[in-house]
Amino acid sequence: MAQIGGPCPGPAVGSQLSVSLPPSLAPYLPRALLGASGLLRGRMSRRESPPLPPSPPPPPQLLRGDNGLITGKEDEDRPQRAEPLSDSDTEIIQGTWALVYKNYENVGVSLLIRFFVNFPSAKQYFSQFQDMQDPEEMEQSTQLRQHARRVMNAINTVVENLHDSDKVTAVLALVGKAHALKHKVEPVYFKILSGVMLEMLSEDYPECFTEEVQQVWSKLMGVLYWHVTGAYTEVGWLQVSSSAV
């Protein structure tokens, strides 16, 4: 199991913003956004509409195993191989998250700024700051800061309850349905935000987010995406992959 060292220093708000994302983020992005090298070809405006990307393979389903742990499980409709979260996986996730969550508001603000700078089309769902272009202006936005707190607190609720699959399922169902019915957010943005978050944490907390830790967090992100998009399907969305970006 990966050993987590001392407290990791918190990143400055809006630090390490990039317009071009590394190849390691490629699995989390629609192929229509990627060039031949796997890098983002360039920032796309909110009004641009790239070709329809292929539907991504579904992440593992979140289920309670015999030992009460959250696991992935295959079934006839989901042939993708399962990657269960073991005791050590859960310990790694909760340990690293505890260090990040100490600085949750600034981390959340940095996450959203990076997300909106690289994927400005996502701002169309936020009337309060959809016209902001400058990262410093975003950093000063009270509305953006409030949303950053909501995002980080939702993740915290999931992480704290990894041994309670019913709780995790309920939380993610609420998140998915709210974004589908009330906010009408294209679900592909959840996949993109997950990738941006993993990229940011690996850069800002390199001593904590080792390659092994990143792999464990990738499994968790797959579980989260499964449940959020499951909620979209439940309320009538026929397609969870979109060209909206």
Side-chain angles (χ1 to χ4, degrees), residues 7-232:
C8 299
V13 176
S15 67
Q16 301 192 36
L17 296 172
S18 62
V19 178
S20 226
L21 299 183
S24 58
L25 189 55
Y28 302 94
L29 304 179
R31 291 180 185 176
L33 292 182
L34 302 176
S37 66
L39 295 176
L40 192 66
R41 286 183 174 177
R43 290 195 305 175
M44 308 183 72
S45 74
R46 177 163 55 90
R47 291 177 293 276
E48 289 178 331
S49 180
L52 184 67
S55 298
Q61 185 176 10
L62 184 67
L63 295 172
R64 188 193 302 277
D66 294 337
N67 59 358
L69 295 178
I70 292 174
T71 66
K73 184 177 181 181
E74 297 176 359
D75 59 32
E76 295 180 355
D77 296 326
R78 298 174 179 85
Q80 183 175 336
R81 195 164 96 181
E83 289 190 79
L85 290 180
S86 64
D87 280 324
S88 61
D89 291 338
T90 298
E91 184 178 345
I92 288 172
I93 292 169
Q94 291 179 337
T96 49
W97 179 251
L99 298 173
V100 173
Y101 195 66
K102 290 179 180 179
N103 194 31
Y104 79 100
E105 184 170 322
N106 284 343
V107 172
V109 170
S110 292
L111 171 63
L112 292 186
I113 291 176
R114 178 183 288 229
F115 179 48
F116 291 138
V117 165
N118 284 283
F119 301 95
S121 61
K123 290 188 294 181
Q124 67 185 289
Y125 302 107
F126 301 91
S127 59
Q128 307 94 326
F129 46 84
Q130 64 181 358
D131 296 324
M132 294 182 183
Q133 304 296 329
D134 184 6
E136 292 185 4
E137 184 182 7
M138 295 182 197
E139 181 184 339
Q140 299 302 318
S141 169
T142 300
Q143 292 85 358
L144 187 145
R145 189 166 293 272
Q146 289 175 343
H147 190 66
R149 288 197 293 266
R150 286 194 291 269
V151 170
M152 296 296 285
N153 285 330
I155 297 172
N156 187 60
T157 299
V158 170
V159 171
E160 284 187 340
N161 291 279
L162 285 179
H163 288 289
D164 185 347
S165 61
D166 292 337
K167 176 74 170 180
V168 172
T169 300
V171 169
L172 295 177
L174 288 174
V175 170
K177 290 177 181 179
H179 283 77
L181 297 175
K182 181 178 180 181
H183 307 300
K184 304 188 186 305
V185 176
E186 294 286 347
V188 70
Y189 285 107
F190 284 95
K191 195 175 190 71
I192 295 173
L193 182 62
S194 295
V196 173
M197 180 175 179
L198 291 178
E199 192 71 27
M200 186 188 79
L201 294 179
S202 67
E203 292 178 4
D204 289 344
Y205 297 87
E207 295 181 0
C208 300
F209 280 80
T210 62
E211 183 176 349
E212 179 183 355
V213 171
Q214 292 177 52
Q215 290 174 353
V216 173
W217 270 88
S218 294
K219 289 197 288 185
L220 175 64
M221 291 300 183
V223 171
L224 303 189
Y225 185 68
W226 170 265
H227 277 277
V228 167
T229 54
Y232 271 76

